[in-house]
C-alpha cells in the first residue's frame, strides 16, 4: 500500500502542451505513471506524445478516459479556475504545481473544495510520488526507493535532499507528499499524517516544515494524541529574520507568529524527534528502524 | 507590497471611509503652504513603510504653519527603523475623543478574512492584545457571502460602540472589507479609527499590504510601489527572478529552493557562522542567472566566503557546474567558494569543478563547516 497515488492512478495533465507541462508529462510517463489525457483549451482533438488524447475541457477528458487524478501546470492567473474545473468534473485528487496564485483566489477555491469530495494537494508544491508505482508532479523519480518511510513536506528541494539521503542509506519510502508552501493550500500536514497512520505499509514518518502559520502545531497535537508511528521532524527557517512589519494585525491575530522555535517546541512536546539540521534526519530515521 | 499611509487612505476614501483632508509634501516649505491652506493645527506624519512611526518620533503636532515647517524639517531625512523619511503627510489635527482599532487580515488558520476591532486602539494595540486579549473582537467574513452587516454589528457591540455610531461603523467595516478584496490585500488596517469631538468616526491612519502575486491584475497599485521598500540589491535580484534577502552575516549563500535555502542558512549558523543573505535561484541554473546571483552576493563587502548548495533534481549538476564555472570567470576572486552539488549527474558536475580553484563538499554539514572555516581564513 501507499497513500493517495499508485498503480490505480489515471492521470490527466492540465496544461499538457506548455513547456513545463510537456517536460514533466514525459518524465511522469517514463516513470511508469498512467497518463491517460491532457487538457489544453483550444487544442482538443490533438495528441500529445503520439498517444495521449488532448481535450478542451476537463469534463470531456474525464468522460472519455476515466481520469481520476489531475496535475496542474497552468500559469498562476489561470490556475484557480483550473482547480475548480477539475473539481466540478468530479476528479478525486487534484495536484497543483503552479506557484504564485493570488491568495484570495485560494480562499475561495478552498472554501468551494470543502463542499466537494475533491482533495487538492498544493498549490506551489512539487507533487507526490509512490516509488515504483506513480509520480504526479515534478519530484525526480530516480532519487526515490520503495520502502516503509512516509514523507510529508512543505518544501521542494529540501525534500529531495532528505529523500536522497535516505535512499543512499538504503532506507526506502512509501509515498512522499509535497503539500506546498502557500498560506492556503488543499491538504495539511495533519491530513497526510492521518493517511500515513492508517497505511499498513508505512512504519514511520518524516515531517519537513517551515516557519509561518500553525500547520505544524496542529500536526503536533495529532502526533501527541493519535499517532502510533514514530515521527522525525525538521523545521526550516530557524535563522530567518523577522520581516519588516507594517500593521499590527499579524501580531494580534491568534495562533502565534509561526516561528521555528514555537514549532520545534510543539513537535518535541508531542514526542517527535526534531532534527537540528537536515543531515540528522536520516540518522534519526535509522534509529527507528526495526 | 506595502502602500504608504497616504496611498492607503486614498484607497479607503474610495470605499466610503471618512479620512482627513491632508496633502503630501517633500520639503518643509511645502508643508508650511499646506498648513496655511488647511488652517488651524496640523499633524506632520512621516511616510515610511514600517509600523510604529508615532513611537519613533515620526509624527508631530504643529499649531501654526511656522511650527509645521519646523517639525517637517526635523522629520524629513530622519531615519525610522533603517528607512529614511522622504515624504510627509500633513493632515488637519483631529479632536480625538476615543481611539478604536479596526483591521482586516487573512487568517491562515481559519482560511478566512478576519476583521478585528478593539475599543483600545492606538499605538499600544499590540500590548492590549497581549495583555488583555478579550479586548480584541474578531469576526470572520464568509468566503462567498462576504462581510455582512450582522458581522460588523458583532464587532460594534463587542467594543461597546455608542448606538448612534453603529450604522456608520458598519459602513466603514464593509468599506474596509471591500477595499481589502478589491486590492487583493493581505492586510488592511485603520489604527486609530477615532471618535471625534463632534461624535463622528474618522480614519486617522491607514495601512494596506497587497499580495504581490495579485499585482498583475492591479497595474494602478503596482505603480504606487515605493522602490525604497527593497534595498538596491534586493531590487536587482528581483529583475533576474531571484528571491534574495540581505542579512548581516559574512557567509553568502546561493541555493536552489526556498526551503533548502533556509535550511542551509540554519546549518551555517549551527556551525557558528552567520549567513549574509537568503538567496533562492529557483529552478534551472543558467549561467547568467548564477552569475547575477554571485555578483549580488559579492556586492556585499562583508561577505568573506560563499556557499553554493545545489540539489540537482530536474536541474542537472553538470549544467549548474558549468554555470558556476562561467560565472566565476567573470568575478574577482576575492573570497573562497565552497560548492556542494548533489543529485542528478553529481559526478560529472564535480569533475567540471575540479579544474577550478574551489572548495568542494559532499554533505550539507561538511559544506557548512568548510564555509565557516573559509570565512575565518582557515581554509582556501
Ligand atoms: N490627524 C491627526 N490628528 C490628531 N492626532 C493624530 C492624527 N494622526 C495621528 N494622530 C495621533 O498619533 C498617533 C499615531 O499615529 P498613526 O497611527 O498615524 O501612526 P503610527 O505610529 O504609524 O501608527 P502604528 O503604530 O499603527 O503604526 C495616533 O494614534 C493618534 O493618537
Ligand atoms: Mg497607526
Amino acid at each position: 500500500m501507499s497513500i493517495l497515488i499508485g498503480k490505480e492512478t489515471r492521470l490527466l495533465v492540465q496544461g499538457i502542451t506548455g513547456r513545463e507541462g510537456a517536460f514533466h508529462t514525459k518524465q511522469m510517463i517514463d516513470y511508469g505513471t498512467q497518463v491517460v489525457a491532457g487538457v489544453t483549451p483550444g487544442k482538443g482533438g490533438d495528441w500529445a506524445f503520439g498517444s495521449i488524447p488532448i481535450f478542451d475541457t476537463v469534463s470531456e477528458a474525464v468522460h472519455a478516459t476515466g481520469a481520476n487524478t489531475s496535475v496542474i501546470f497552468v500559469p498562476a492567473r489561470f490556475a484557480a479556475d483550473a482547480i475548480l474545473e477539475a473539481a466540478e468534473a468530479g476528479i478525486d485528487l487534484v495536484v497543483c504545481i503552479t506557484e504564485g496564485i493570488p491568495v484570495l483566489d485560494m480562499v475561495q477555491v478552498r472554501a468551494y473544495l470543502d463542499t466537494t469530495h475533491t482533495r487538492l494537494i498544493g498549490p506551489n508544491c512539487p507533487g507526490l510520488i509512490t516509488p515504483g508505482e506513480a509520480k504526479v508532479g515534478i519530484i525526480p523519480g530516480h532519487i526515490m526507493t520503495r520502502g516503509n518511510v512516509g514523507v510529508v513536506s512543505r518544501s521542494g528541494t529540501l525534500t529531495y535532499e532528505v529523500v536522497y539521503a535516505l535512499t543512499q542509506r538504503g532506507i526506502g519510502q512509501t509515498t512522499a507528499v509535497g503539500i506546498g508552501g502557500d498560506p492556503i493550500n488543499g491538504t495539511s500536514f495533519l491530513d497526510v499524517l492521518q493517511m500515513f497512520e492508517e497505511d499498513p505499509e508505512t512504519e514511520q514518518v518524516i515531517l519537513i516544515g517551515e516557519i509561518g502559520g500553525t500547520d505544524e502545531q496542529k500536526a503536533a497535537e495529532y502526533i501527541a494524541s493519535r499517532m502510533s508511528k514514530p515521527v522525525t521532524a525538521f523545521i526550516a527557517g530557524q535563522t530567518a529574520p523577522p520581516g519588516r512589519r507594517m500593521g499590527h494585525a499579524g501580531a494580534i491575530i491568534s495562533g502565534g507568529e509561526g516561528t521555528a522555535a514555537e514549532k520545534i517546541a510543539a513537535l518535541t512536546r508531542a514526542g517527535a524527534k526534531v532534527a537540528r539540521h537536515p543531515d540528522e534526519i536520516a540518522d534519526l530515521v535509522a534509529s527507528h528502524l526495526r | 507590497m506595502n502602500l504608504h499611509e497616504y496611498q492607503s487612505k486614498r484607497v479607503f476614501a474610495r470605499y466610503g471611509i471618512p479620512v482627513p483632508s491632508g496633502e503630501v509634501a517633500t520639503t518643509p516649505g511645502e508643508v508650511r503652504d499646506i498648513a496655511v491652506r488647511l488652517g488651524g493645527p496640523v499633524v506632520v506624519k512621516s511616510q515610511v513603510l514600517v509600523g510604529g512611526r508615532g513611537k519613533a518620533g515620526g509624527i508631530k503636532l504643529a499649531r501654526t504653519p511656522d511650527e509645521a515647517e519646523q517639525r517637517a524639517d526635523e522629520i524629513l531625512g530622519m531615519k525610522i527603523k533603517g528607512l529614511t523619511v522622504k515624504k510627509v503627510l500633513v493632515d488637519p489635527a483631529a479632536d480625538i475623543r476615543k481611539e478604536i482599532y479596526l483591521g482586516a487580515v487573512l487568517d491562515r488558520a481559519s482560511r478566512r478574512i478576519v476583521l478585528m476591532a478593539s475599543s483600545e486602539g492606538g499605538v499600544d494595540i499590540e500590548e492590549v492584545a497581549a495583555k488583555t486579549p478579550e479586548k480584541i473582537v474578531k469576526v470572520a467574513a464568509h468566503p462567498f457571502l462576504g462581510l455582512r452587516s450582522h458581522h460588523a454589528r458583532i464587532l460594534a457591540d463587542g467594543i461597546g460602540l455608542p448606538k448612534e455610531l453603529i450604522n456608520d461603523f458598519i459602513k466603514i467595516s464593509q468599506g474596509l472589507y471591500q477595499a481589502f478584496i478589491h486590492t487583493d490585500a493581505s492586510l488592511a488596517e485603520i489604527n486609530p479609527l477615532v471618535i471625534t469631538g463632534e461624535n463622528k468616526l474618522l480614519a486617522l491612519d491607514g495601512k494596506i499590504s497587497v499580495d504581490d502575486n495579485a499585482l498583475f491584475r492591479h497595474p494602478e497599485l503596482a505603480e504606487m510601489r515605493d522602490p525604497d521598500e527593497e534595498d538596491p540589491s534586493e531590487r536587482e535580484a528581483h529583475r533576474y527572478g531571484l528571491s534574495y534577502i540581505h542579512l548581516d552575516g559574512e557567509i553568502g549563500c546561493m541555493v536552489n529552493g526556498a526551503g533548502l535555502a533556509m535550511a542551509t542558512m540554519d546549518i551555517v549558523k549551527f556551525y557558528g557562522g552567520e549567513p549574509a543573505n537568503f538567496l533562492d535561484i529557483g529552478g534551472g541554473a543558467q549561467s547568467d542567472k548564477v552569475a547575477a546571483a554571485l555578483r549580488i552576493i559579492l556586492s556585499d563587502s562583508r561577505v568573506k566566503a560563499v556557499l553554493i548548495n545545489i540539489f540537482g533534481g530536474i536541474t542537472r549538476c553538470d549544467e549548474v557546474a558549468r554555470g558556476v564555472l562561467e560565472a566565476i570567470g567573470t568575478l574577482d576572486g576575492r573570497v573562497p567558494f565552497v560548492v556542494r552539488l548533489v543529485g542528478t549527474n553529481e559526478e560529472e558536475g564535480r569533475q567540471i569543478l575540479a579544474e577550478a580553484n574551489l572548495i568542494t563538499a559532499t554533505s550539507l554539514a561538511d559544506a557548512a563547516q568548510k564555509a565557516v572555516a573559509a570565512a575565518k581564513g582557515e581554509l582556501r
Side-chain angles (χ1 to χ4, degrees):
Chain A
M1 281 287 285
S2 55
I3 65 166
L4 293 161
I5 58 166
K7 291 235 176 308
E8 68 294 344
T9 296
R10 295 178 62 77
L11 186 66
L12 169 152
V13 181
Q14 291 176 256
I16 194 167
T17 54
R19 199 167 56 94
E20 297 273 296
F23 176 82
H24 290 291
T25 300
K26 177 81 170 56
Q27 305 272 322
M28 292 188 285
I29 295 169
D30 290 348
Y31 195 72
T33 314
Q34 279 192 73
V35 180
V36 297
V39 168
T40 297
K43 300 224 167 123
D46 286 1
W47 298 82
F49 304 104
S51 61
I52 300 169
I54 302 179
F55 300 86
D56 286 320
T57 66
V58 176
S59 68
E60 271 180 280
V62 169
H63 281 300
T65 66
N68 56 17
T69 301
S70 131
V71 61
I72 294 175
F73 287 101
V74 310
R77 60 182 76 189
F78 309 118
D81 273 357
I83 299 169
L84 294 173
E85 185 186 356
E88 281 192 40
I91 294 273
D92 300 322
L93 178 67
V94 178
V95 180
C96 185
I97 308 302
T98 307
E99 175 182 348
I101 302 179
V103 70
L104 292 188
D105 288 3
M106 285 311 302
V107 169
Q108 299 226 313
V109 165
R110 177 62 203 263
Y112 173 73
L113 292 180
D114 287 345
T115 70
T116 72
H117 76 274
T118 300
R119 170 172 295 287
L120 171 69
I121 306 270
N124 187 16
C125 78
L128 57 167
I129 185 163
T130 294
E133 292 192 31
K135 119 168 177 155
V136 175
I138 64 174
I139 299 177
H142 63 87
I143 63 171
M144 307 284 302
T145 186
R146 191 58 183 257
N148 305 100
V149 180
V151 180
V152 59
S153 169
R154 258 166 79 178
S155 95
T157 43
L158 181 54
T159 315
Y160 309 164
E161 170 89 40
V162 170
V163 168
Y164 187 63
L166 293 179
T167 292
Q168 282 187 319
R169 295 173 66 149
I171 304 171
Q173 309 89 37
T174 45
T175 302
V177 185
I179 60 172
D182 277 7
I184 295 191
N185 59 12
T187 295
S188 65
F189 279 124
L190 173 58
D191 297 330
V192 181
L193 287 183
Q194 266 166 347
M195 294 178 220
F196 280 136
E197 175 69 13
E198 282 159 24
D199 173 39
E201 195 184 326
T202 301
E203 287 171 7
Q204 58 168 310
V205 179
I206 298 175
L207 180 156
I208 302 167
E210 277 176 16
I211 47 170
T214 53
D215 216 27
E216 290 83 353
Q217 291 88 317
K218 284 188 195 152
E221 283 170 30
Y222 177 76
I223 293 169
S225 60
R226 301 280 173 79
M227 192 121 182
S228 67
K229 300 177 183 177
V231 177
T232 301
F234 175 73
I235 304 293
Q238 295 166 44
T239 54
R244 188 183 280 147
R245 261 193 316 112
M246 283 285 293
H248 303 284
I252 64 185
I253 191 96
S254 62
E257 311 242 328
T259 62
E262 274 171 44
K263 291 173 192 239
I264 290 169
L267 288 161
T268 307
R269 267 199 311 275
K273 290 211 173 137
V274 184
R276 292 172 303 169
H277 58 73
D279 281 0
E280 275 187 357
I281 297 175
D283 295 337
L284 293 172
V285 169
S287 75
H288 285 135
L289 290 177
R290 282 181 275 162
Chain B
M1 168 195 157
N2 295 312
L3 299 188
H4 280 293
E5 175 191 0
Y6 74 93
Q7 296 167 326
S8 304
K9 280 154 101 175
R10 278 178 200 164
V11 172
F12 288 162
R14 289 209 293 275
Y15 291 88
I17 298 171
V19 298
S21 52
E23 288 176 52
V24 178
T26 54
T27 65
E30 282 168 27
V31 169
R32 191 196 153 78
D33 295 344
I34 296 168
V36 169
R37 269 203 297 282
L38 291 175
V42 297
V43 176
V44 182
K45 310 184 76 174
S46 53
Q47 299 296 290
V48 281
L49 294 172
V50 65
R53 296 164 301 155
K55 287 194 167 174
I59 292 176
K60 292 271 164 65
L61 178 76
R63 269 159 236 295
T64 64
D66 282 345
E67 207 186 324
E69 186 173 357
Q70 248 174 48
R71 295 288 93 86
D73 192 48
E74 291 156 19
I75 292 173
L76 284 163
M78 81 184 272
K79 280 212 163 198
I80 300 181
K81 298 182 186 170
L83 296 173
T84 306
V85 180
K86 293 183 180 166
K87 268 185 202 153
V88 291
L89 171 66
V90 188
D91 266 356
D95 172 13
I96 302 174
R97 223 160 69 193
K98 181 153 191 61
E99 301 199 4
I100 293 167
Y101 173 90
L102 182 63
V105 67
L106 174 78
D107 178 29
R108 292 171 71 142
S110 65
R111 298 186 291 269
R112 304 232 159 161
I113 292 151
V114 169
L115 267 83
M116 299 186 287
S118 174
S119 57
E120 314 294 308
V123 295
D124 294 320
I125 185 66
E126 291 188 29
E127 227 178 293
V128 172
K131 293 199 178 132
T132 49
E134 68 280 3
K135 290 199 171 143
I136 310 282
V137 189
K138 294 173 194 167
V139 62
H142 190 279
F144 306 145
L145 304 177
L147 187 88
R148 314 302 286 213
S149 54
H150 67 274
H151 292 136
R153 212 178 287 279
I154 291 170
L155 294 178
D157 278 353
I159 64 170
L161 196 77
K163 294 244 173 316
E164 64 277 14
L165 291 175
I166 288 187
N167 282 336
D168 285 344
F169 181 83
I170 292 173
K171 277 190 206 129
I172 291 170
S173 303
Q174 292 187 316
L176 184 68
Y177 177 77
Q178 287 303 324
F180 185 103
I181 297 292
H182 291 165
T183 57
D184 266 298
S186 50
L187 166 94
E189 187 178 80
I190 306 172
N191 183 36
L193 174 68
V194 301
I195 304 177
T196 65
E198 294 161 348
N199 208 24
K200 293 248 159 57
L201 290 169
L202 183 64
L204 289 196
D205 188 11
K207 290 189 168 68
I208 296 179
S209 301
V210 182
D211 176 3
D212 286 321
N213 287 338
L215 279 176
F216 71 85
R217 56 191 177 204
H218 302 288
E220 74 297 347
L221 295 176
E223 264 175 38
M224 290 186 193
R225 185 190 286 277
D226 176 351
D228 289 341
E229 191 182 351
E230 297 177 308
D231 82 30
S233 46
E234 292 176 5
R235 230 175 302 148
E236 163 99 354
H238 236 125
R239 277 219 309 275
Y240 286 94
L242 304 164
S243 168
Y244 170 86
I245 297 169
H246 181 246
L247 303 170
D248 292 331
E250 73 285 349
I251 298 176
C253 301
M254 185 182 98
V255 188
N256 62 336
L260 189 57
M262 284 195 284
T264 304
M265 291 159 61
D266 291 349
I267 198 166
V268 163
K269 182 117 176 181
F270 181 83
Y271 285 109
E274 281 292 335
N277 65 277
F278 164 93
L279 193 153
D280 169 13
I281 61 164
Q286 308 83 335
S287 63
D288 58 328
K289 215 168 164 184
V290 172
L294 291 177
R295 222 177 326 121
I296 290 163
I297 290 173
L298 290 173
S299 69
D300 176 355
S301 60
R302 275 175 302 194
V303 169
K304 297 211 177 66
V306 175
L307 169 52
I308 299 174
N309 182 27
I310 303 291
F311 192 95
I314 306 303
T315 319
R316 297 188 342 248
C317 289
D318 52 330
E319 270 172 19
V320 179
R322 269 186 216 102
V324 169
L325 212 56
E326 268 182 58
I328 286 177
T330 68
L331 299 164
D332 68 68
R334 111 180 136 76
V335 303
F337 283 73
V338 178
V339 186
R340 172 177 180 257
L341 297 177
V342 190
T344 314
N345 292 3
E346 60 181 56
E347 266 318 307
E348 291 86 333
R350 273 194 213 126
Q351 274 162 23
I352 291 168
L353 291 181
E355 293 146 34
N357 188 22
L358 302 170
I359 304 163
T360 54
T362 47
S363 71
L364 192 47
D366 181 36
Q369 283 167 297
K370 281 178 172 159
V372 172
K376 287 187 186 142
E378 292 164 5
L379 195 65
R380 264 211 98 90

